[in-house]
Amino acid sequence: MNTPQLHFNLYAEGSIGGGLSKIDVFVAPTPNPALIRIMTVVNRVVMLRGIPGFRDLLPFNRVAGLRGVANVRHIDFPDDDRQRLKACCGAGKATFITPNHPEFFTDWMIDKEIVSRVSPLAASWATHGVVNGLGRIMQKFWLANNLIAQIPGNSGAAKEHSIAWALKGHGVLLHPEGGVGWHGNVVAPLLPGAVEMGFEALKRGRVTDQDFKVWIAPVVWKLAFTKNVEPALAQECAYVEKSLKIERRAADTLPERVHHIYATLLSRDEIACGMAPDERASYATRHKQLLLELSRRLGEGISVDPGASEIAELLRRARRWLREGTGDAERQKQIRSLADTIQRLQRVGPWASANPRIAQEEIAEHLKRIRNDYCKGTLRDTVNCFVPQPAGPRCAHIRVPEPLGLHAFPGSIDDALAELHRRMQETITTTVAEFEAAGSFIFYPNPFYHR
């Protein structure tokens, strides 16, 4: 297929070394079906499952490519779920596939496995830092694999291409949660892009076919370790403690060590904000108070009343303020720092302290989130941000909630988003409960929990 390329100049994330570079950003992929088929096989063998005979044998199991970079040994994707997804993909309909987003790198591995079974030429959205930030050669590779660069503040061309591609019956996959949150049990508030594009595709499709159908097809997946990985988690925790210069308390359990890391980092943020840490208060209480104070300062800085806006809206306004170049350089620096700190703190939500027990998978997510947000400056940390390594072998449990047919949906975009979120969260909760009842998780007392 010959797809006209849409390109323009803008500043995008540069190479792994960091910084910004001015590059041509191509937002319309030129998919190569042969390469896509090859990458599907490579994805299954090298990226996900590893090579049998080597993946469990020392010293080969220490080589990510032999044991599987994502170390997903098993994919549990029931036929009923696969057929439910496949039924709403194909010619004569437009389909937007919307998976949850609990983990970076593994997301693309699992997404690719899913679409290979239901819609092999589906296009996938990815952050511009992945598609364009690793140089021209990798940019060409990702575009040939049908990835669409999501350009912050300038996604019009990407949306236009996505609608046109979906109308051809190939499907488009994008994560409605936006960035990775590292919380596999909870679906974050959803962004409206998939639903907005879906309604636009419906309007265009109905011009020539009054029975044209548009589907928003949610997918959720939950990763579960296949064995006890506490030693590996403890080793990673020790690395984080050393990297962030946080002294380990000898009597602490593994979850308590993770909690202590977060509490120490919170204290540092409080001190930087001019607030005195109250170590007698719960983490959740201190976290909320700090967010409120930072939001107040951000609102003042961009002349917005934070009381009239949710934090998510306040952050959107701040990013827009920064893109417009309002204010002098020093003020821009302060606003960017405030927005970045709020966004980082928000990544630990109320869900962290909601349950009295915490599973090994949740501990692993905490550690990955800390490493991504706080451990910077070394090659090891940079590689971990792009290709985070799991603590052990895992199974990916993939489930497909009931697809949402926009052609038969009477509500607004907000109504559709709320229904989509409900279906995704309900399916995740049911799936986790099912495997918890089967004894698939190892639990500890949750030190974040506070009555």
Side-chain angles (χ1 to χ4, degrees):
M1 169 185 174
N2 294 320
T3 303
Q5 290 197 332
L6 310 170
H7 61 280
F8 41 88
N9 288 328
L10 69 153
Y11 283 90
E13 290 183 11
S15 62
I16 284 183
L20 298 175
S21 61
K22 194 169 187 293
I23 61 175
D24 249 346
V25 177
F26 295 86
V27 296
T30 51
N32 183 323
L35 179 60
I36 289 172
R37 287 193 294 270
I38 292 170
M39 283 305 299
T40 297
V41 175
V42 172
N43 176 64
R44 289 172 181 167
V45 176
V46 179
M47 300 298 185
L48 287 174
R49 295 171 180 160
I51 301 176
F54 289 93
R55 63 191 184 191
D56 295 313
L57 185 65
L58 280 170
F60 304 108
N61 62 358
R62 294 180 179 174
V63 181
L66 296 180
R67 69 155 188 266
V69 178
N71 212 350
V72 176
R73 301 293 183 83
H74 311 285
I75 294 191
D76 167 31
F77 193 5
D79 285 342
D80 286 350
D81 291 82
R82 182 175 60 84
Q83 291 298 334
R84 186 178 303 118
L85 182 57
K86 191 172 184 178
C88 63
C89 296
K93 63 196 81 170
T95 306
F96 295 86
I97 303 171
T98 56
N100 63 328
H101 209 189
E103 182 170 319
F104 189 73
F105 184 79
T106 307
D107 55 1
W108 190 64
M109 303 293 104
I110 293 179
D111 292 346
K112 192 166 184 65
E113 179 67 19
I114 291 169
V115 298
S116 73
R117 301 188 186 194
V118 299
S119 185
L121 288 181
S124 299
W125 278 52
T127 176
H128 65 113
V130 170
V131 179
N132 302 306
L134 303 178
R136 293 282 185 184
I137 293 176
M138 286 305 297
Q139 181 194 66
K140 187 175 181 180
F141 170 80
W142 289 125
L143 294 176
N145 271 281
N146 216 7
L147 261 66
I148 299 173
Q150 186 271 326
I151 312 298
N154 199 343
S155 59
K159 287 182 177 180
E160 183 64 30
H161 171 77
S162 298
I163 294 167
W165 192 253
L167 287 169
K168 293 178 183 295
H170 295 305
V172 174
L173 182 149
L174 65 163
H175 295 274
E177 289 179 275
V180 173
W182 297 101
H183 41 70
N185 294 354
V186 175
V187 178
L190 304 183
L191 299 173
V195 173
E196 290 174 344
M197 289 188 289
F199 276 120
E200 178 61 26
L202 180 63
K203 183 173 74 174
R204 297 185 192 183
R206 286 284 170 89
V207 171
T208 55
D209 180 3
Q210 284 301 307
D211 295 323
F212 191 79
K213 292 180 171 58
V214 173
W215 296 97
I216 306 294
V219 178
V220 297
W221 43 272
K222 168 67 180 176
L223 293 165
F225 291 115
T226 61
K227 65 177 184 178
N228 189 332
V229 295
E230 182 172 340
L233 289 173
Q235 185 177 7
E236 184 167 19
C237 189
Y239 172 80
V240 170
E241 290 164 339
K242 182 179 179 180
S243 176
L244 298 177
K245 297 180 173 56
I246 296 175
E247 185 176 355
R248 176 189 173 184
R249 299 184 301 196
D252 278 358
T253 63
L254 176 60
E256 288 169 344
R257 289 170 67 184
V258 173
H259 179 270
H260 178 59
I261 292 171
Y262 261 123
T264 302
L265 294 171
L266 185 65
S267 293
R268 292 175 183 178
D269 282 328
E270 288 171 322
I271 292 169
C273 187
M275 298 173 63
D278 181 3
E279 297 183 358
R280 296 169 300 176
S282 69
Y283 179 89
T285 298
R286 294 169 56 195
H287 182 265
K288 181 178 180 179
Q289 290 173 344
L290 179 57
L291 273 175
L292 288 173
E293 175 59 22
L294 291 171
S295 298
R296 182 189 65 79
R297 296 185 186 186
L298 181 60
E300 287 182 351
I302 62 173
S303 302
V304 170
D305 178 11
S309 303
E310 293 185 354
I311 291 181
E313 176 60 23
L314 185 63
L315 286 172
R316 279 194 288 272
R317 294 191 185 189
R319 298 299 183 196
R320 190 183 308 121
W321 186 92
L322 288 167
R323 285 196 300 270
E324 292 170 352
T326 308
D328 57 32
E330 183 59 31
R331 188 179 174 200
Q332 286 189 24
K333 182 179 178 181
Q334 292 173 352
I335 296 301
R336 183 174 290 107
S337 177
L338 281 168
D340 288 346
T341 302
I342 291 170
Q343 192 167 16
R344 171 167 48 77
L345 286 168
Q346 261 203 312
R347 284 156 58 78
V348 184
W351 44 263
S353 54
N355 298 309
R357 298 191 303 169
I358 186 170
Q360 284 193 348
E361 289 77 7
E362 294 170 285
I363 294 172
E365 289 167 353
H366 275 308
L367 288 170
K368 293 303 184 192
R369 191 183 308 106
I370 293 170
R371 291 190 67 177
N372 182 78
D373 291 349
Y374 292 92
C375 297
K376 309 287 185 182
T378 69
L379 178 61
R380 180 176 178 179
D381 291 329
T382 300
V383 171
N384 177 77
C385 284
F386 281 91
V387 192
Q389 290 299 290
R394 303 176 293 175
C395 178
H397 301 285
I398 303 170
R399 299 293 184 267
V400 177
E402 191 66 31
L404 181 63
L406 294 186
H407 50 275
F409 189 78
S412 64
I413 290 175
D414 288 342
D415 294 335
L417 275 179
E419 178 60 20
L420 184 63
H421 187 278
R422 185 193 67 78
R423 296 184 188 189
M424 293 176 72
Q425 185 60 67
E426 186 176 89
T427 304
I428 276 285
T429 301
T430 301
T431 302
V432 171
E434 174 189 343
F435 290 102
E436 180 179 334
S440 300
F441 303 121
I442 296 174
F443 285 101
Y444 307 83
N446 183 7
F448 289 92
Y449 180 71
H450 187 75
R451 294 181 185 276

